[in-house]
Every structure is written in C-alpha cells, then in structure tokens.
Amino acid sequence: MPTVILLDSSLSMSRLATPNPNPNSPIELSSTGEEMELRHLAAYGITQLLDQVESNCKLEYVALIQFSSICELIAPFSRDMDQIRSKLTVNCQDKSSLEVGLQGLLGLVQEEWGSATPITLIIVTDGGVRTCLHFHSNLNFNLYSPIKTICFSISVACIMDTGPAVDIAKTAYNALFNKLGLGSSRGSFHSVDGSLNIKSTETMFKEISALHYNQWIGTLEMGDNMSCKVQVCPPPKPYSKAEDFTVVKRELSSTLSIKGFLSQADISSPPVYSKHLILPVSGTKDNKDDKENNELKDDDTKNPNICVFLHGALKLENMCALVEVGEDWFGFIYSWSDTKKKSSLMLSILEPGNMSVPWLGSINRLGPASDLNETLSSPFPVKSDRKPSYSSCPVVWIKQSGIQSDNQKVLRHARKLPEKTQHFYKELNRLKRAAVCLGFYELLEGVAQICERECGLLPPNVSPDCAIQLTYVAQVLRSQECYSVNHSILPRVTNFNAGKI
C-alpha cells in the first residue's frame, strides 16, 4: 500500500522548538549545528519513519509532498529511502493550507496509481490553531469524496507543545476523520508527550510506525501436516465498515488456512479489500550468533517450503488457493507476474462474508470437485436448497420510463378489446398490485384519469367494449376496496365480450 508524507512547510514550522531555554541547560542543536526548529524535528521524525519502512516493509512505495499556500512534490513514489532522506530539507514559506496539500495529493496519486489503489497518508504539521479552525469549517466539500476513495488510513503527526492548542487541532482532525468515514480505526492523531525535543518527537513517530509499518508474521497452513511461517507485505489492516444499521469489524487471524483450490477462470477478478505479497520467513533466531545465523539461512535454501511449492504449482496449473484469513473472512493466494522473468506469491483479501464473490455463490457451500456431475456447464454459482417464494418477474420501477412502459402496455391491450380482455386485466392487476404494495396510491388515480382520457380519444373503428371497460376500470380504481393487495379487478361482462372471458 503506497505511502504519501504530506509535510507542512509554512512559516510557523521555522519556530524554535525551545524558544525560552533554561540558561543553565545546553541548547539542543540540529544536525547542521543550528538551533532546533520545528522543521528540524519534522525532518528527524520522518527519517525515523523511513527507517522503519526500510526495515519492515521493503516493497513500500513512499512519496514526499510539501505544502504551504502552494504544493510542491519533493520526492515522487520510490522504494529508495535514501533518495527521500536526501530531500528532507524543509524550506519554510508562507501560510499553511491543508486543502492545497490534499489537492496536490489527489493529483499525484491519481496520476501514479489511479483511484482504485488505497494509500496511507501521513500528515506532518505543527497544527496551527487558526489553520485547523479555518480548515475544519471551510474545506472544499468536493475533496471529501476523492480523499475518502484513495485514503485507506490517515495519521497526523502534530509537532506542538502540549496545551489547549493541541486539543483544538485534535478536535478538527477527528472531525475530518469522521467526515471521511475513517473513525478511530483508520484515522489517528498523534502529539508529543511532554516537552518538545528530539526524544519526544522520536517517540511520537515510533507510534505511527508501529501503527502502519510493523511486520506481520503468521502461519500458512495447508492440510494437517504442512505449515510454515510467512510474512505478509504490506501488513494487512483490520476491517471496519459502517453499514446501514451496524458496523462490520473483522480482525485478521494469525493463521492463514488453505481450504481448497479453484481455477483462476472461475475466480476471474473479484472486488478485493487489499492485496499483499507473501514471503517465507527465515529460520534465524535472536539467540544465535552470526555464524549460526548464516548456517540457518543456508539450511533454508535446502529445505522444502510451502511458499515455493504453492508458487510453482499455482503458476503451472493456472489455479488459486482459497484461504481463510479470519472469522467469516476469506482471500485467494495466487502466482502473479509483472514480467516473464519475475513472479511472486500474492494474497488478495476479499470483503468479509460468504458472498464476497457473487458468481461463486456462498463460499461455505463450496465442496470437492469429485462431487460434481460430469457436465459442460459451470458449477457456479452454487445453488441453494432454498426456493424463493417471490415472483420470477417482479415489477421494478427505477426510472420514470418503467412506469410509462407498463401503462402503455395496459392501453395497447385495451384498444384490442374484446379479443384481448384477459391480457388487459392481467396487466392491469399486475400494475395495481405493485402500486398498492409500494404505497404508490397516486398511480391508481393517475391510471384512472388516463382511462377516462383514452375514452374520448378512441378511434371510431374500435369496439364499443373498449370505452365501456375503460370507464368501468376508472370507477373501480377510485373505490376503497382497490387499496387491498388481495383485491383483483374482474372484467365487466358486456354483449361484446360475452363468451370471451
């Protein structure tokens, strides 16, 4: 999951970290020998963050953007952390405008990754009070939707002395998290604990690193006797999504259990929650010396490993493995290649639930291929034993044209009376029943008025039974019994349709 660091380069970032130091205490200096300013603390904290990314998430892409009243791309997306560290000199400019920074973020991410790839956003700022209040009340509403789409999680690193100003900044950013639908699970605000110095800043950035860039190591199991330790990059996040009447939450299990195998043609390209790279974990131990560690690494290259086996088998057979990653939560393991020479073992985590791949049916109903009958038709979706009780052709009115089409169908049959008497009343009752079930009683009055209007517009060569039936239908549609769902309008018997009903 790519990471974007949005660094505040406003003039307030050039303030001294300790404006009134104790005369008897030494002044804390930056790496360049200057007195420590907020921008120096920000650069130092970002360096610590990049160290954790380089150590625990080697495949992570990171970009650096500075913002004030203008936005500037300092370092494009790269895996070379040294290149980003070399450009961490903050040149302070004028006022801070987070809206400008977010607009620059959107342009960069959409150009590099599109709108379908979620990112992790790290905002580093001094959290100016006036800026937060202005931002909270005047942020462009059009930014909410695209930011909500591309930002999987947002963390704010506030480099400011503890006090009321920090509380105001925290309130403003928490309001932003709620508007973006992130909540406390994917939106976090971090501030220094105690005095503002290198040590407290380092502690704050370690909190952010632990939240986003810790290694995720678990066990990959296949059957009862085959298992190995694996690392998943980037670390998967817990699932949390607010639905209409509840909040769905899932925690990833420490064990990835393979349940079976499917053809990639059957899986196709389902919507996924996140994608990850699976790497085998070396057998090194912390209590071994360097010589013993090297011997263990050499042994790893000689011992069989499930990851190697799955990678080769899935690639050769063009299949994927269905894996359970948590309670009622599944994913797929498959071999993926961006070039002809390099390929990787990948994990795609689906949305929680048994119906996350609709064309497969319920995942809990999948069984062994040996139970299938020999047939050329696809076994998917897996059919349920439950038979639906609703009609196979329900009335659906999504657009105005649907209602107009059903009304015209009734009138076409009316103009062919008495030959189409049965068809006329069948379509009329179908229309009436749908209107009553939906509480759309105005439609009944509208159809009655249409019937009366059609009586005066009928051509002379039409059967007199047409006008009689339309007048009769208009009267019934205005009666009280017509509001009952079980009531059906029966044809009126006349001399013209006798024996045709």
Side-chain angles (χ1 to χ4, degrees):
M1 187 180 299
T3 296
V4 177
I5 301 175
L6 202 57
L7 176 59
D8 188 351
S9 61
S10 61
L11 191 60
S12 59
M13 291 291 287
S14 62
R15 292 178 297 168
L16 292 177
T18 55
N20 296 311
N22 188 340
N24 299 324
S25 302
I27 298 177
E28 198 170 30
L29 301 179
S30 66
S31 59
T32 59
E34 302 174 279
E35 291 189 39
M36 187 65 67
E37 300 176 359
L38 298 186
R39 60 192 180 99
H40 298 140
L41 292 178
Y44 178 80
I46 294 174
T47 301
Q48 301 301 311
L49 187 70
L50 296 177
D51 290 344
Q52 292 296 315
V53 174
E54 189 175 35
S55 174
N56 297 332
C57 303
K58 297 181 182 299
L59 301 178
E60 185 82 358
Y61 283 95
V62 180
L64 177 62
I65 299 176
Q66 289 185 6
F67 72 93
S68 53
S69 62
I70 60 174
C71 183
E72 182 182 1
L73 177 62
I74 302 301
F77 282 104
S78 174
R79 290 176 177 171
D80 187 354
M81 299 299 118
D82 289 334
Q83 179 184 359
I84 301 176
R85 291 190 192 97
S86 65
K87 298 182 179 181
L88 268 176
T89 302
V90 183
N91 297 319
C92 296
Q93 301 179 30
D94 48 7
K95 65 178 183 178
S96 174
S97 175
L98 183 59
E99 182 175 346
V100 172
L102 293 178
Q103 289 174 343
L105 163 74
L106 286 175
L108 174 65
V109 174
Q110 290 177 353
E111 179 181 354
E112 294 286 338
W113 302 95
S115 58
T117 301
I119 67 163
T120 298
L121 175 61
I122 310 294
I123 302 175
V124 182
T125 179
D126 63 341
V129 178
R130 294 180 180 178
T131 301
C132 288
L133 293 176
H134 176 80
F135 153 71
H136 176 52
S137 58
N138 298 291
L139 182 63
N140 189 349
F141 181 78
N142 294 329
L143 281 176
Y144 284 125
S145 179
I147 290 293
K148 183 178 180 179
T149 301
I150 67 171
C151 288
F152 179 83
S153 59
I154 301 178
S155 290
V156 178
C158 183
I159 305 176
M160 181 191 296
D161 283 317
T162 56
V166 175
D167 297 332
I168 295 176
K170 183 176 182 180
T171 302
Y173 280 102
N174 284 336
L176 173 65
F177 300 153
N178 293 330
K179 287 185 178 181
L180 295 177
L182 300 177
S184 59
S185 60
R186 292 190 290 149
S188 59
F189 182 89
H190 306 266
S191 58
V192 296
D193 187 11
S195 59
L196 193 59
N197 51 42
I198 288 180
K199 185 176 181 180
S200 60
T201 302
E202 181 180 356
T203 302
M204 177 180 65
F205 276 90
K206 282 184 177 179
E207 292 179 2
I208 300 176
S209 300
L211 189 62
H212 298 289
Y213 306 110
N214 270 358
Q215 285 187 347
W216 190 96
I217 296 178
T219 304
L220 178 62
E221 291 184 349
M222 186 171 65
D224 297 331
N225 302 317
M226 300 181 68
S227 64
C228 71
K229 291 289 184 180
V230 294
Q231 178 184 356
V232 176
C233 300
K237 305 283 187 179
Y239 182 89
S240 179
K241 182 179 181 181
E243 296 187 347
D244 293 338
F245 303 104
T246 185
V247 177
V248 179
K249 294 185 177 180
R250 292 289 189 278
E251 292 288 340
L252 204 75
S253 172
S254 59
T255 301
L256 307 178
S257 180
I258 295 177
K259 298 300 182 181
F261 300 90
L262 291 164
S263 170
Q264 286 194 3
D266 292 329
I267 295 299
S268 187
S269 181
V272 298
Y273 173 63
S274 58
K275 294 182 179 181
H276 311 269
L277 176 67
I278 298 180
L279 298 172
V281 176
S282 173
T284 56
K285 298 182 180 179
D286 294 336
N287 59 351
K288 298 287 184 180
D289 57 21
D290 293 339
K291 181 178 180 181
E292 290 176 321
N293 281 337
N294 292 332
E295 291 176 355
L296 285 171
K297 290 180 180 178
D298 292 338
D299 291 340
D300 287 338
T301 61
K302 300 176 183 178
N303 294 331
N305 190 282
I306 298 179
C307 293
V308 179
F309 166 72
L310 281 175
H311 177 262
L314 296 177
K315 182 178 181 180
L316 181 63
E317 298 295 333
N318 198 25
M319 299 186 73
C320 57
L322 175 65
V323 58
E324 186 175 19
V325 300
E327 181 184 358
D328 196 27
W329 199 6
F330 299 91
F332 290 102
I333 295 177
Y334 55 96
S335 176
W336 179 82
S337 175
D338 55 352
T339 63
K340 294 183 179 179
K341 295 183 179 180
K342 295 182 180 180
S343 59
S344 308
L345 191 64
M346 301 292 295
L347 167 66
S348 289
I349 299 179
L350 304 169
E351 297 278 337
N354 295 321
M355 298 295 295
S356 51
V357 186
W359 52 89
L360 291 184
S362 175
I363 293 180
N364 285 338
R365 296 186 61 84
L366 296 177
S370 57
D371 292 347
L372 296 176
N373 296 326
E374 293 185 4
T375 176
L376 296 177
S377 60
S378 173
F380 302 111
V382 178
K383 296 181 180 180
S384 172
D385 296 333
R386 182 178 63 87
K387 294 183 179 179
S389 59
Y390 49 81
S391 171
S392 59
C393 297
V395 179
V396 179
W397 292 326
I398 299 177
K399 298 181 179 180
Q400 182 180 356
S401 58
I403 301 178
Q404 183 179 2
S405 175
D406 287 341
N407 286 331
Q408 289 176 345
K409 188 184 298 183
V410 173
L411 293 178
R412 282 198 302 269
H413 291 313
R415 291 167 183 166
K416 297 180 180 179
L417 294 173
E419 289 80 8
K420 296 291 185 178
T421 301
Q422 293 183 356
H423 296 82
F424 169 68
Y425 279 95
K426 178 182 178 181
E427 293 297 331
L428 177 66
N429 283 306
R430 177 174 172 269
L431 181 71
K432 183 196 82 71
R433 189 177 298 107
V436 173
C437 290
L438 297 173
F440 193 4
Y441 303 117
E442 294 83 356
L443 180 60
L444 302 180
E445 175 61 28
V447 174
Q449 294 178 6
I450 291 175
C451 290
E452 291 177 341
R453 178 175 177 274
E454 283 294 318
C455 287
L457 299 177
L458 292 174
N461 59 342
V462 174
S463 171
D465 189 51
C466 183
I468 296 174
Q469 298 294 342
L470 289 175
T471 304
Y472 164 71
V473 166
Q475 295 174 353
V476 176
L477 288 175
R478 292 191 173 102
S479 63
Q480 289 296 324
E481 61 269 15
C482 192
Y483 296 126
S484 173
V485 177
N486 298 323
H487 174 264
S488 296
I489 303 177
L490 300 177
R492 183 172 183 176
V493 180
T494 64
N495 295 332
F496 305 97
N497 62 13
K500 297 183 180 180
I501 299 177

